[in-house]
Structures are given as C-alpha cells and as structure tokens.
C-alpha cells in the first residue's frame, strides 16, 4: 500500500434536515455503526489549483469513530482516516493533498477492520462489472449518491453527476 505523505485536510458539516432514511440508534441494529457510513460524493477531476475531495456521510443518530477505518483507491493508494469521528447526521469532507484518483475512472473502498463496508467504481474502471459503474464526472463535476445516502448496491443507480456540493445534502 502506498500512503499519502502529506496530511489530509478535512472539514465536518452537519445535515440539519432529517429524512425518512435516518436510523434511530446504531445499537438497535446489532451491527457496528461504521456499517452505515457511506462514500457519498467524490470529486476526482479537480482543476489544477483545486484538490480532489471525498465526502463520507454518517446517517445515524450517533457519532461514529473511524479508528479502524481507511480508504483505498483502485491502485491501493491508502488514505488514512483513522483519527476522525463523524458526528451524527453529518459529513466528513477529505481534501486530498495530491491527485491520486484517476480522472477517467477509478474505485474507492471504505474499509473498517479489514472489511469493505462501502465502495464505488466510476467511469471506465474495471471492477469486474463495468456495466454497473457510476458515471464518469467531467472536470469540475462530482459523482454523488442521489438521493443522499442511497445504496442499492448498483453504483449506476445510486450515483449521478452533479455540481460539487460536498458537506451538504446532495441535490441536482
């Protein structure tokens, strides 16, 4: 695994809108709260003076520690996120210190305790099933789950191209 040498810059955002897909409490479900964290929006093709960004979304009503979690792209570049906790109903936006995501297509995996908890493949990234990949965003576009947090297990159904709105509820 290749680690990023520079620190990842981050920001937290709280979603004050409560929607019908929120959960009451992670402890009610007999699963780990990080099971609910979603890769919610990805900004892989930024202008030269911008930074690539990844948004994680916590739809639960409890804060979720990422102490045993990381992100990996398709080339297994490691993005350390283990020092973060995402507050309830909030977003964590990661600003990558250098370009690692492929503009024409890539994969991003959210991993906790050595298990893939969420993933997205977009564009021409061959993850074994190109037909279900999310669309490839153009320059200054993101791909995001729409509606916010949607997860059917089919990236082409869950993700749409949109104008960047990282740190807030996804909208077209």
């Amino acid at each position: 695994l290749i680690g990023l040498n520079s620190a990842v810059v981050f920001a937290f955002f709280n979603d004050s809108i409560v929607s019908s897909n929120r959960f009451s409490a992670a402890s009610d479900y007999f699963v780990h709260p990080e099971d609910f964290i979603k890769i919610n929006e990805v900004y892989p093709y930024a202008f030269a003076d911008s930074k690539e960004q990844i948004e994680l979304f916590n739809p639960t009503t409890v804060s979720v520690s990422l102490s045993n979690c990381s992100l990996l792209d398709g080339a297994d570049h490691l993005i350390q996120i283990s020092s973060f906790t995402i507050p309830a109903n909030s977003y964590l936006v990661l600003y990558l210190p250098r370009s690692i995501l492929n503009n024409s297509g890539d994969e991003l995996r959210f991993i906790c305790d050595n298990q893939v908890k969420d993933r997205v493949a977009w564009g021409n990234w061959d993850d074994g099933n190109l037909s279900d990949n999310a669309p490839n965003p153009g320059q200054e576009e993101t791909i995001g789950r729409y509606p916010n947090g949607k997860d059917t297990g089919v990236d082409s159904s869950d993700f749409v191209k949109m104008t960047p709105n990282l740190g807030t509820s996804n909208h077209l």
Side-chain angles (χ1 to χ4, degrees):
L1 302 179
I2 301 171
L4 297 177
N5 293 331
S6 301
V8 173
V9 180
F10 64 95
F12 291 105
F13 300 89
N14 188 293
D15 187 4
S16 60
I17 299 170
V18 177
S19 68
S20 61
N21 67 346
R22 302 282 192 239
F23 301 98
S24 59
S27 60
D28 294 345
Y29 294 92
F30 304 105
V31 294
H32 300 284
E34 64 269 11
D35 291 345
F36 295 106
I37 300 297
K38 296 295 173 203
I39 299 168
N40 205 52
E41 192 171 355
V42 181
Y43 187 34
Y45 194 12
F47 279 123
D49 60 345
S50 298
K51 299 218 181 262
E52 294 178 339
Q53 299 170 42
I54 300 165
E55 176 190 85
L56 300 178
F57 175 49
N58 174 9
T60 72
T61 58
V62 295
S63 292
V64 177
S65 169
L66 304 180
S67 62
N68 294 316
C69 302
S70 60
L71 290 166
L72 288 173
D73 77 341
D76 289 333
H77 293 116
L78 175 67
I79 302 166
Q80 285 290 351
I81 58 173
S82 60
S83 62
F84 300 115
T85 296
I86 306 177
N89 298 313
S90 297
Y91 305 88
L92 169 63
V93 178
L94 304 163
Y95 299 83
L96 303 185
R98 63 181 173 89
S99 295
I100 64 165
L101 302 173
N102 294 321
N103 293 342
S104 59
D106 208 334
E107 177 181 49
L108 195 57
R109 291 165 281 158
F110 173 65
I111 298 170
C112 297
D113 297 318
N114 298 316
Q115 293 182 335
V116 176
K117 301 293 184 173
D118 192 31
R119 59 166 296 284
V120 58
W122 66 89
N124 66 3
W125 186 261
D126 188 358
D127 63 344
N129 186 2
L130 283 168
S131 67
D132 77 344
N133 281 7
N136 193 44
Q139 195 167 28
E140 293 299 303
E141 289 183 315
T142 63
I143 53 168
R145 292 184 188 272
Y146 188 80
N148 202 50
K150 177 182 178 184
D151 190 3
T152 65
V154 179
D155 295 336
S156 59
S157 295
D158 297 340
F159 286 84
V160 298
K161 289 195 262 186
M162 60 180 63
T163 302
N165 55 91
L166 293 110
T168 63
S169 238
N170 291 342
H171 55 275
L172 300 178

